[in-house]
C-alpha cells in the first residue's frame, strides 16, 4: 500500500519524501490500514519502493501482493491524473469493502481504476466489477504493459483474461496498458479478433505531457489493418484446418456435406466487424455457418426475414457452434454481430433490403474453384465492402 493512517491523519507515499524522513517516521510513528484499522509496517529500503504492508494478511480490502512494478505504476498514474483532476489514491469504499488503486470523480462519471499486474480469476474480476457498478463507479482496468504480446504491426495475442478487461471508448472496444518504466499508457483500440486469441487493433501511445485522463475515452485512429487481415485469412485457408480439434468436427462435417473443401470456404465469410469482440468463435467459422444454413433453407430470389436469420443464429449458439466471450463490461444485444453481418452481405450484393426486417437473396455465396481463386476473391470482397462503407459514410 502507498497510503496509511496515523494519529495526525493520512500519509500518502505518492508524495516525494526523503529517505531520511521515512526512516525517522518508521521509528517514531505508528501506522494503520485505512480499511481495516489494523497496524501496518512502513517498509523502507534501497532496492524496493517505500510502502506499507500488513503485519497479517487479514484485511477485508487486501488483494494480491503488490510488486514494485505495481506500486510504481499506480503512483505514476496518480501523479498523471491528479495534475488536472481530483484523484484519491487507495481510497477504501466501505459500502462495497473494496479499495481501488485510484478513484476519480468527474461531473459526469465516477471511476474506480485498477492497475492490474497479477493474474486474477474470472470470478474475482467479475465480483469486483459488479461491486464497483453497484457503488455507481465505472470500473476501469489498466493492465501492466508487460502483458502485451505484439505479433506484428497490427496483430496481437490476447489471453482469455485480457478480453475480460475490455472497455468501450467512443463505442470502440479498447484495452489499456500502462508502462511504469516509460510512463506511457498504451491503448489498443478497434479490437477485432480473428480467432479466440489472435486480434487486430490500432495502437495509440498516450503520455502525461500530451494527454489527459479524458483522452483514454476518445478514439484516436481509424482501422488500417484490413490488408493484414486478408493475409491472415489466406494463412487460415491453407494451414488452420491442418490442425483440427474435436470442437471443429461439426463444422468440417457441414463443409463435407456441402461438398466444400475446408480451404474453399465462402469468400463472404471471415469479414471483420466492429462487434466481433463479443464472439470467441472465429468470424470465418461462424459466418460460414450462417451462409450454409441460409442457403440450405432458401434459394436465390427468395425473401428472408430478420426473424428467420435470428433463428438460425440462435440455433448455432444453442448448439455451441458459436461461442460468446465472457466479458465483464455492460452487455450488448447478442444479435449485434448478426445485424452487422447482414449489413455486410447487403453491401456485397448477396442480400437486398426490401423493407423493415425483410431481405431478398440476390445471389449465392461464392465458392472458389481453386485455392488461388480464393485468395483473389477474399481481397475483392474486402475491397468491395470497404468501398461500399466509404460511400455510406
Amino acid at each position: 500500500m502507498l497510503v496509511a493512517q496515523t494519529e495526525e491523519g493520512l500519509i500518502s507515499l505518492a508524495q516525494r519524501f526523503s529517505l531520511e524522513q521515512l526512516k525517522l517516521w518508521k521509528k517514531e510513528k505508528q501506522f494503520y490500514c485505512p480499511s481495516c484499522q489494523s497496524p501496518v509496517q512502513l517498509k523502507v529500503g534501497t532496492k524496493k519502493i517505500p510502502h506499507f504492508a500488513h503485519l497479517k494478511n487479514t484485511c477485508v480490502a487486501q488483494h494480491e501482493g503488490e510488486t514494485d512494478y505495481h506500486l510504481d505504476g499506480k503512483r505514476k498514474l496518480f501523479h498523471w491524473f491528479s495534475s488536472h483532476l481530483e484523484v484519491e489514491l487507495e481510497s477504501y469504499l466501505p459500502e462495497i469493502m473494496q479499495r481501488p488503486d485510484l478513484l476519480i470523480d468527474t461531473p459526469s462519471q465516477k471511476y474506480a481504476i485498477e492497475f492490474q499486474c497479477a493474474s486474477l480469476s474470472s470470478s474475482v474480476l467479475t465480483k469486483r466489477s459488479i461491486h464497483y457498478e453497484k457503488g455507481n463507479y465505472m470500473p476501469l482496468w489498466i493492465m501492466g504493459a508487460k502483458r502485451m504480446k505484439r505479433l506484428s504491426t497490427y496483430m496481437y495475442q490476447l489471453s482469455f483474461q485480457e478480453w475480460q478487461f475490455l472497455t468501450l471508448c467512443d463505442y470502440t472496444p479498447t484495452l489499456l496498458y500502462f508502462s511504469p518504466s516509460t510512463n506511457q499508457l498504451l491503448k489498443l483500440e478497434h479490437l477485432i479478433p480473428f480467432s479466440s486469441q489472435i486480434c487486430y487493433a490500432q495502437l495509440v501511445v498516450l503520455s502525461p505531457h500530451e494527454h489527459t485522463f479524458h483522452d483514454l475515452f476518445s478514439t484516436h485512429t481509424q482501422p488500417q489493418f484490413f490488408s493484414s487481415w486478408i493475409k491472415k485469412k489466406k494463412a487460415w485457408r491453407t494451414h488452420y484446418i491442418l490442425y483440427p480439434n474435436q470442437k471443429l468436427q461439426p463444422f468440417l462435417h457441414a463443409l463435407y456435406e456441402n461438398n466444400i473443401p475446408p480451404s474453399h470456404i465462402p469468400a463472404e465469410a471471415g469479414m471483420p466487424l466492429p462487434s466481433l469482440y463479443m464472439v470467441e468463435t472465429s468470424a470465418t467459422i461462424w459466418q460460414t455457418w450462417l451462409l450454409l444454413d441460409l442457403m440450405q433453407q432458401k434459394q436465390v430470389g427468395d425473401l428472408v426475414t430478420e426473424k428467420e436469420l435470428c433463428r438460425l443464429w440462435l440455433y448455432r449458439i444453442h448448439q455451441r457452434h458459436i461461442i460468446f466471450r465472457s466479458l465483464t463490461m455492460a452487455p450488448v444485444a447478442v444479435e449485434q454481430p448478426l445485424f452487422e453481418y447482414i449489413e455486410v452481405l447487403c453491401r456485397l450484393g448477396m442480400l437486398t433490403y426490401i423493407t423493415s426486417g425483410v431481405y431478398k437473396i440476390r445471389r449465392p455465396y461464392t465458392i472458389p474453384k481453386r485455392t488461388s481463386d480464393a485468395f483473389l476473391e477474399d481481397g475483392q470482397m474486402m475491397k468491395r465492402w470497404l468501398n461500399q462503407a466509404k460511400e455510406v459514410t
Side-chain angles (χ1 to χ4, degrees), residues 327-344:
L327 302 174
T328 58
M329 53 186 273
V332 179
V334 72
E335 297 87 0
Q336 184 61 28
L338 170 65
F339 295 152
E340 291 178 2
Y341 189 52
I342 291 173
E343 184 178 346
V344 169

Side-chain angles (χ1 to χ4, degrees), residues 49-284:
I49 294 174
H51 64 281
F52 300 103
H54 283 78
L55 300 178
K56 293 183 180 180
N57 189 19
T58 57
C59 180
V60 292
Q62 185 76 358
H63 300 309
E64 65 281 350
E66 294 182 294
T67 63
D68 272 6
Y69 186 84
H70 185 183
L71 291 168
D72 192 30
K74 67 178 175 181
R75 184 177 64 178
K76 287 180 177 176
L77 286 171
F78 171 78
H79 284 300
W80 181 350
F81 300 147
S82 62
S83 66
H84 54 277
L85 291 171
E86 289 294 327
V87 182
E88 297 179 39
L89 177 65
E90 298 179 350
S91 183
Y92 180 59
L93 303 175
E95 65 275 14
I96 59 175
M97 293 191 298
Q98 290 186 193
R99 185 178 60 226
D101 291 328
L102 303 174
L103 277 181
I104 296 180
D105 191 352
T106 70
S108 58
Q109 179 68 59
K110 295 191 296 184
Y111 298 90
I113 300 175
E114 295 272 13
F115 179 49
Q116 193 64 36
C117 301
S119 296
L120 196 65
S121 69
S122 299
S123 59
V124 172
L125 191 153
T126 301
K127 180 181 177 181
R128 287 196 204 175
S129 294
I130 291 174
H131 283 179
Y132 285 138
E133 290 168 358
K134 286 183 178 179
N136 295 318
Y137 292 94
M138 175 181 171
L140 191 63
W141 298 89
I142 302 177
M143 291 175 282
K146 292 180 179 179
R147 301 183 64 156
M148 181 183 287
K149 294 183 180 179
R150 191 175 190 177
L151 304 179
S152 65
T153 303
Y154 300 112
M155 189 164 61
Y156 299 82
Q157 182 176 338
L158 301 179
S159 66
F160 169 80
Q161 187 174 92
E162 282 176 277
W163 279 109
Q164 295 184 298
F165 295 130
L166 198 71
T167 188
L168 289 180
C169 300
D170 276 352
Y171 305 100
T172 299
T174 301
L175 285 175
L176 302 172
Y177 301 80
F178 181 71
S179 171
S181 59
T182 62
N183 203 18
Q184 292 178 323
L185 195 143
L186 310 178
K187 184 170 184 267
L188 291 183
E189 55 188 32
H190 301 295
L191 287 114
I192 300 183
F194 188 89
S195 61
S196 60
Q197 293 190 13
I198 302 301
C199 179
Y200 284 85
Q202 301 285 142
L203 175 64
V204 177
V205 180
L206 306 179
S207 64
H209 304 296
E210 300 176 357
H211 302 92
T212 67
F213 173 74
H214 297 290
D215 287 317
L216 271 64
F217 304 94
S218 300
T219 303
H220 301 261
T221 63
Q222 291 294 326
Q224 302 292 329
F225 46 72
F226 297 114
S227 59
S228 181
W229 179 282
I230 290 298
K231 291 179 181 178
K232 184 64 177 176
K233 187 177 176 182
K234 177 180 179 180
W236 191 96
R237 284 187 182 275
T238 54
H239 299 296
Y240 184 74
I241 305 299
L242 295 178
Y243 308 98
N245 54 48
Q246 193 63 34
K247 293 181 180 179
L248 204 57
Q249 291 305 313
F251 178 69
L252 295 176
H253 184 69
L255 293 179
Y256 176 79
E257 287 187 331
N258 286 273
N259 298 313
I260 302 174
S263 60
H264 289 199
I265 58 170
E268 291 83 0
M271 302 299 290
L273 307 172
S275 64
L276 282 190
Y277 68 90
M278 299 171 56
V279 189
E280 184 175 316
T281 304
S282 168
T284 308

Side-chain angles (χ1 to χ4, degrees), residues 1 13 20 99 115 141 147 173 204 267 292 318 377:
M1 299 188 303
L13 298 183
E20 290 74 17
R99 185 178 60 226
F115 179 49
W141 298 89
R147 301 183 64 156
V204 177
L292 295 179
H318 179 73
E377 288 162 358

Side-chain angles (χ1 to χ4, degrees), residues 234 237-238 263-264 368-376 378:
K234 177 180 179 180
R237 284 187 182 275
T238 54
S263 60
H264 289 199
K369 295 181 180 180
R370 297 171 299 182
T371 304
S372 58
D373 295 334
F375 302 152
L376 180 62
D378 284 343

